Amino acid sequence: MEPEPEPEPGQGQDPPRRVTRRRGRTRARLLDAAFAVFAAKGFGRVTIEEVCEAAGFTRGAFYSNFATLDELFFALYRERADLIAAQVADALAQDGPGLDVPAAVDRVTEVLLLDVDWLLVKTDFLVRAAREPAVARALLDHRARLREAIADRLTRAGGRTAPPAVLGGADGAARAVVAAYDGVTAQLLLDRDVEAARAWLGRLLTALLTDGGHLPA
């Protein structure tokens, strides 16, 4: 395993920036390695040594970036959760003022499902959140931002694409979308059939977001 690289004396005029870039690369490698290890073993069964071994670094490299395994776990979750929220917002923004629901649903399901490894890590985070208020706040914050991105897009579509009234407006529709995702991905964790989950989620979201609420044939 390699230690985190240190700046070489006498090279260039800006060593702090080089250290920051190196540290950023080290941090990214640790996060990538942790993602794979957490998905394979579950957070509670992973040690710092295992993350370091997977990343190819020493414990010194770990502690120069994270104080604890908990801090790394939270950083990993935030990174992936923020990426998903941004991808969903981008997928919903591609239709201009109106909203082509079937096309938007296709784009959203592509970015929402990601992969089973992410769902395993996310589920670990959910289990911890159920027992620890600080973790729960972090998870609730992510879910709120995801709902806000969806509700904002539905609101901007206005009367051109109004969700069924029974959902209680754009915010209620956004909550229904997130709830549908939760339900479909729970099944995905059991049967590992990504394509079936993506297809079913697409049908379910289309039914939720179009007037009438009937599943397409």
Side-chain angles (χ1 to χ4, degrees):
M1 289 188 292
E2 63 182 276
E4 185 177 18
E6 295 295 333
E8 298 175 10
Q11 292 187 2
Q13 301 299 315
D14 190 17
R17 184 172 296 174
R18 290 204 304 277
V19 173
T20 299
R21 286 199 295 267
R22 289 191 185 99
R23 183 156 295 161
R25 290 194 295 269
T26 300
R27 181 183 175 88
R29 280 175 58 179
L30 285 166
L31 287 168
D32 286 344
F35 178 79
V37 176
F38 289 150
K41 299 188 66 174
F43 174 75
R45 298 180 178 180
V46 173
T47 65
I48 290 174
E49 287 77 9
E50 287 173 314
V51 173
C52 291
E53 182 178 357
F57 287 125
T58 64
R59 287 174 65 95
F62 180 93
Y63 285 117
S64 70
N65 287 275
F66 303 101
T68 64
L69 204 57
D70 274 2
E71 183 181 324
L72 182 148
F73 188 55
F74 295 155
L76 173 64
Y77 182 83
R78 283 195 301 268
E79 178 186 77
R80 303 277 171 155
D82 288 347
L83 173 63
I84 292 171
Q87 288 175 326
V88 169
D90 181 65
L92 291 172
Q94 294 180 28
D95 290 320
L99 184 65
D100 180 341
V101 169
V105 164
D106 284 345
R107 293 192 299 268
V108 168
T109 54
E110 287 294 325
V111 298
L112 267 180
L113 280 172
L114 293 180
D115 57 34
V116 172
D117 282 349
W118 161 246
L119 297 175
L120 288 168
V121 172
K122 178 172 173 274
T123 300
D124 268 353
F125 203 84
L126 177 62
V127 170
R128 293 200 64 190
R131 295 185 173 93
E132 300 179 30
V135 183
R137 286 193 294 273
L139 183 57
L140 288 170
D141 177 68
H142 161 60
R143 291 170 71 86
R145 284 185 286 116
L146 190 59
R147 289 198 308 269
E148 286 166 7
I150 297 168
D152 178 68
R153 184 64 185 91
L154 293 173
T155 299
R156 286 187 289 109
R160 290 179 288 270
T161 315
V166 69
L167 294 177
D171 184 64
R175 289 178 179 274
V177 168
V178 175
Y181 171 63
D182 288 341
V184 170
T185 53
Q187 179 67 28
L188 174 59
L189 280 173
L190 299 177
D191 63 26
R192 304 299 181 98
D193 191 338
V194 175
E195 292 308 312
R198 181 177 290 116
W200 177 243
L201 182 61
R203 297 178 69 203
L204 185 55
L205 294 183
T206 299
L208 283 170
L209 296 175
T210 53
D211 195 24
H214 298 295
L215 285 173

